[in-house]
Amino acid sequence: MTIPDFTSSDAPISFAILGAGRMGLEHGQALASLPEAQVVAVADPLPEAAARLARLTRAPRTYSDPHDAIHDPEVQAVIIVTPTSTHAELIEAAARAGKAVFCEKPVAADLAETERVMGIVQETGVPFQIGFQRRFDAGFAQARVRILAGELGEIEQFAATGRDPAPPPLEYLKVSGGIFLDQAIHDLDIARFLVGEVEEVIAIGDARVDPAIAELGDADTTTVLLRFVNGAQGVVQNSRRAVYGYDVRTEVFGSGGKFVLDATPKTPLLSYADGVKMDHYHFFMDRFRDAYRAEIGAFVASLRAGTPPEPGAFDATESLRLALACTRSLKEGRAVKVAEVQVRPA
Amino acid sequence: MTIPDFTSSDAPISFAILGAGRMGLEHGQALASLPEAQVVAVADPLPEAAARLARLTRAPRTYSDPHDAIHDPEVQAVIIVTPTSTHAELIEAAARAGKAVFCEKPVAADLAETERVMGIVQETGVPFQIGFQRRFDAGFAQARVRILAGELGEIEQFAATGRDPAPPPLEYLKVSGGIFLDQAIHDLDIARFLVGEVEEVIAIGDARVDPAIAELGDADTTTVLLRFVNGAQGVVQNSRRAVYGYDVRTEVFGSGGKFVLDATPKTPLLSYADGVKMDHYHFFMDRFRDAYRAEIGAFVASLRAGTPPEPGAFDATESLRLALACTRSLKEGRAVKVAEVQVRPA
Amino acid sequence: MTIPDFTSSDAPISFAILGAGRMGLEHGQALASLPEAQVVAVADPLPEAAARLARLTRAPRTYSDPHDAIHDPEVQAVIIVTPTSTHAELIEAAARAGKAVFCEKPVAADLAETERVMGIVQETGVPFQIGFQRRFDAGFAQARVRILAGELGEIEQFAATGRDPAPPPLEYLKVSGGIFLDQAIHDLDIARFLVGEVEEVIAIGDARVDPAIAELGDADTTTVLLRFVNGAQGVVQNSRRAVYGYDVRTEVFGSGGKFVLDATPKTPLLSYADGVKMDHYHFFMDRFRDAYRAEIGAFVASLRAGTPPEPGAFDATESLRLALACTRSLKEGRAVKVAEVQVRPA
Amino acid sequence: MTIPDFTSSDAPISFAILGAGRMGLEHGQALASLPEAQVVAVADPLPEAAARLARLTRAPRTYSDPHDAIHDPEVQAVIIVTPTSTHAELIEAAARAGKAVFCEKPVAADLAETERVMGIVQETGVPFQIGFQRRFDAGFAQARVRILAGELGEIEQFAATGRDPAPPPLEYLKVSGGIFLDQAIHDLDIARFLVGEVEEVIAIGDARVDPAIAELGDADTTTVLLRFVNGAQGVVQNSRRAVYGYDVRTEVFGSGGKFVLDATPKTPLLSYADGVKMDHYHFFMDRFRDAYRAEIGAFVASLRAGTPPEPGAFDATESLRLALACTRSLKEGRAVKVAEVQVRPA
């Protein structure tokens, strides 16, 4: 196995997109607009979906089996946007085949499997990026840079809210790993991105939106208290349903000031009639479209530059561990140290 | 002892203001602009302070001892804005003298003393209002009405932030009862006002702003997780210091939508140069000036109408109990049921 | 005739309020909360109105004839809030009686009468302030200071919008002097306050709201182009009707940046349901309550300090002249130099 | 000559991009992400520029002469983003060759030439779209739909502001046709888009930013008063320099309410330290990136659907005529009817 040296050529990097659903189209469109990249293969069990994405991306070949795309000799890098349950297996296959890997979160719902596969990624040395797109939003990215530059001084408090317009189908929820792994993980990852590692969590939660969610042993409305290693205090609130749309708000407070990251109005149209009204985002893709494009651009740029993509194996593992700590805290009704969450308990 | 019947006359109600400090001036100015009220006495140990407030309010008499003002036969109602440690004693004296009482929060830092004095208020039947001014802010008041009308549906999550520009003097902090009783109680009272009673709290906190605060056994940076009786989840974050000013933000989320209560810009001036900039409140009195006026107006109006003032003895006691539960949770490092906080432990 | 020397005593200044309508109540409430002032007389032809305001302000005397209040020997200063047609006569009487005068705008709808009465004010030397309250709004006042300090560099463009919720009664409009004198004059005065004197205007206008307004020879929807003496360009748009409420927006643009003065949301409540919604002001008094209080406070403070009140006779005259130039431009369908508007045409 | 029938096939439409500068890259990136389109040729006199854009768009061929690209038999449609002085000639050549045409504004700085070329477009029947991208901004597009649906009732007032961060080079300004044709035309086109045709204009203007602009006979700071055919009143203010960035604000007021289209903050990051601060757009491309993409998407979609692209020859001509009326009004110091601006004067 050899990993291609992307830095020694300026030929476009050849991609396969595994999975031709909504995210496949989104990432395909991003790749298609990048001169540094070309899509040479698309894989999806549904031939029409594969053909549609191949057409969009001018990809010359389609496969029904993603492993065939991985082993296509022209393919140098893969974008994995298949169902979550197949992520680990495909990452492993791609890594063993020496292909660079971008994979939507999560690697797996299971820490042991995540660590195993991330270990293979690290052994093989293939470039790997996990899909925490929020880090590439202009606001969040700028907040991070300015926090690192000391603009907020010592960070003392963090608060994040994440709400979706409506819960996904129960079929999806059954295999989602629960609200912390599936939804809150984005807010938890941002907590780590902007403040640092978390020492302990206390989670509460209920099924307020749909009793069927309780029957799955899952919650749809949760609140978590975080103690960060650096002494900062945090809270994260999530809900699977918000009638007004997609709600992501993050606040970081420190001795030097405060940053608030909320949605700007969806359009620049303010309407004055009975009060003043503006539109709000209803769909995560509208809110984070530019971030999705930027994360693919960053992946391609780091391949070209020969630098390790970020966020990679470490963040994929640690944000999962944090989400699992929340899950355990909610189940066991107690404060849980993040370090407790181990493949072989400490 | 007879309580005046304010409803049977339209003569102005005669007030004494006990305490001629900043809040005395503020409430005095509010009373002076109300045709239903007149200030007939001012009491303060500092003669110049008393004289200044008397002049402002056209009060004909000043006293150095507040008890003399309470027993002034022309006085029908008292505004207690003396140091906190004297509240209970003055409320008791006024109630026993049959005078209507408005008192700044808290009644006492101690639940037993609070319950004892509130018991006297209820026995004597004097009208009593406690100074939770935030309930009279146009935004909070409207939020309450619309929540009661069902606009947000089932309330599921609550989040409040309260930060002051800088900590008060250590001398003040020593007798303040701690951050939950002194500062967070406003956010906790609003939690009760907008969502309902709280069942259990989990508090964490540290002294991040000033180590001398830790030496007092107090915290200056706290985060509390709340479980409401109605199943809603809440968080309250407080800090004694914010370089950007006075920060009060409250969010209530339910099945029907979300209300956010934040400060509007301090002035309507937006300045465009390097980015866009607006002024922010630095002083609680600027933010809540209209609310302070409205609470005094409401007190006078309820005396005139013969209806019990709100918030009264019940809210004074229950918001204190909630603050004490937070204090205990922080001290003992465990979840505390609000019902645990009893004069004789349950 | 002697003008009282307010600087040599710290006794409260004794006021008469002439007119017990809405503005009388507003100014009365402002005076009642100022320790430097006392109201000793109220005049209104309606005895109940006079009595109500006297009660609010603790004024010991009421008069039905404002001249009697002016000549009340205890009265040192008068607040004129009577119908516009009586302003000139009452200012003259008060000035000749040596009383300080605050008068709602305008002095008169007629330039000759305005200049005559302002001449008397200047001859007698009585302190005089005209009621352009917008100058005392925290935003406008701060904008002026920062513009004078050079923050915007050379001023190049100005834009103002003024819209009322609904036209006043036709009876009022008949004697109002027209939209420029009655409504736009506030925006025109602010143009002078923030940018400087105007050289030439071009006005267009129509009756779009109510054809009866056209029959009066008046307009209800107007747009004016301004050339300032300093070379800045300006526009002012007015309407007598806005379904969404009271709309005042002002923008000043220069080589150093831009200031925008718009209304902040009416309350700090943002409501998220179908989009995001906030309340808007429907009533000029809600928008400018603090400014009305501040202008009365400034009047009292300048009497006490012995400095000439601002805005005074000069601004009363020049803002009227500018409004008359707009009126003439609209009538004659041509550009009009402000200097053309003279008692004896230039 | 035959015009391709794009509706009878779902093969991608084959484009040539004429001009490989900044706008060529932007439109190329938009085309590259559209499955309905493919770029088969790029033309630019600079070979590296052509090669770079060909690589970005996967275009197989480059030309140094745009006429060669137009006559490339595979090319079905052209995107003209060459210097303005070449637009007319290239539109004519493409139309005569039966190719669909998208051209950046303006067709020509001259009405006669514009009408001549638009005549050829109409005779040949080739689909034609002019580059008024602002119409495709989500806010402006939605405003138009809601205005047409009657939400604002009768339109009574319009106000637009357009300011650039800094003037373009003098070399560019010399051939730009002046501020109204080069810059204000976007605001004038939006006036027509949202309110309707204009009957008469009165323009004032000066060179405040750079005296060299005056020497060119041009202005850099202008204000225009508009009378619309439907009776609405309008104002448009422009400046070639704004230290705070790119400033586009549009307000439409009617009997049913008001729409305001301003920029949302550049990022969702609010920073609280000394006041509250947000970023502002400094570059038109940042503000209107999505609009540029949407206009190319709309062009492709209308080719595919067989419907005439909008805005086309009519709007290219009428917005130019309006800009020429402003230019004439400024030069001649008088009100100018738009209908006066004719190839052979009326």
Side-chain angles (χ1 to χ4, degrees), chain B residues 10 29 32-35 37 55-56 58 142 146 257-262 268-272 279 287 293, chain C residues 10 29 32-35 37 55-56 58 142 146 257-262 268-272 279 293:
Chain B
D10 61 358
Q29 209 158 16
S33 71
L34 290 173
R55 191 170 158 232
L56 170 73
R58 281 84 172 160
Q142 194 189 119
R146 291 167 65 178
K258 177 171 86 157
F259 287 163
V260 173
L261 297 136
D262 206 336
L269 173 55
L270 274 183
S271 160
Y272 290 67
D279 280 353
R287 169 66 182 87
R293 287 180 184 159
Chain C
D10 61 357
Q29 210 158 15
S33 70
L34 290 172
R55 189 171 159 232
L56 170 72
R58 282 83 172 163
Q142 194 190 119
R146 292 167 65 178
K258 178 171 86 157
F259 288 163
V260 173
L261 297 136
D262 206 337
L269 173 55
L270 275 184
S271 159
Y272 290 66
D279 279 353
R293 287 181 183 157

Side-chain angles (χ1 to χ4, degrees), chain B residues 103-183:
Chain B
C103 185
E104 276 305 311
K105 66 93 200 160
V107 171
D110 181 65
L111 185 64
E113 180 68 351
T114 299
E115 290 195 349
R116 189 186 67 80
V117 173
M118 293 297 95
I120 293 165
V121 161
Q122 283 172 310
E123 275 164 38
T124 57
V126 294
F128 174 80
Q129 185 172 324
I130 187 79
F132 287 132
Q133 93 289 347
R134 213 175 278 181
R135 293 177 174 224
F136 295 92
D137 172 77
F140 285 96
Q142 194 189 119
R144 156 98 160 179
V145 168
R146 291 167 65 178
I147 288 169
L148 289 178
E151 191 172 325
L152 293 188
E154 299 281 311
I155 304 303
E156 295 165 354
Q157 292 181 320
F158 171 86
T161 305
R163 297 185 183 115
D164 285 338
L170 285 174
E171 288 313 299
Y172 175 90
L173 287 178
K174 272 180 199 166
V175 296
S176 70
I179 187 169
F180 295 114
L181 265 70
D182 184 59
Q183 182 189 18

Side-chain angles (χ1 to χ4, degrees), chain A residues 105 109 164 166-185 203-224 238-240 323-324 326-328 330-331, chain B residues 233:
Chain A
K105 65 92 201 164
D164 285 337
L170 285 174
E171 287 314 299
Y172 175 91
L173 287 178
K174 272 181 199 165
V175 296
S176 70
I179 186 168
F180 295 114
L181 266 70
D182 183 59
Q183 183 190 18
I185 197 167
I204 63 176
D206 290 291
R208 297 292 302 264
V209 177
D210 185 350
I213 292 175
E215 285 166 31
L216 298 179
D218 200 355
D220 53 35
T221 306
T222 58
T223 298
V224 183
N238 290 89
S239 171
R240 289 287 196 181
L324 288 167
C326 296
T327 308
R328 190 178 294 181
L330 176 58
K331 288 239 165 86
Chain B
Q233 305 160 1

Side-chain angles (χ1 to χ4, degrees), chain B residues 214-240:
Chain B
E215 286 166 30
L216 298 178
D218 200 355
D220 53 35
T221 306
T222 57
T223 298
V224 184
L225 198 154
L226 313 172
R227 291 182 196 263
F228 289 87
V229 171
N230 64 12
Q233 305 160 1
V235 290
V236 176
Q237 291 194 308
N238 290 89
S239 171
R240 287 287 196 182

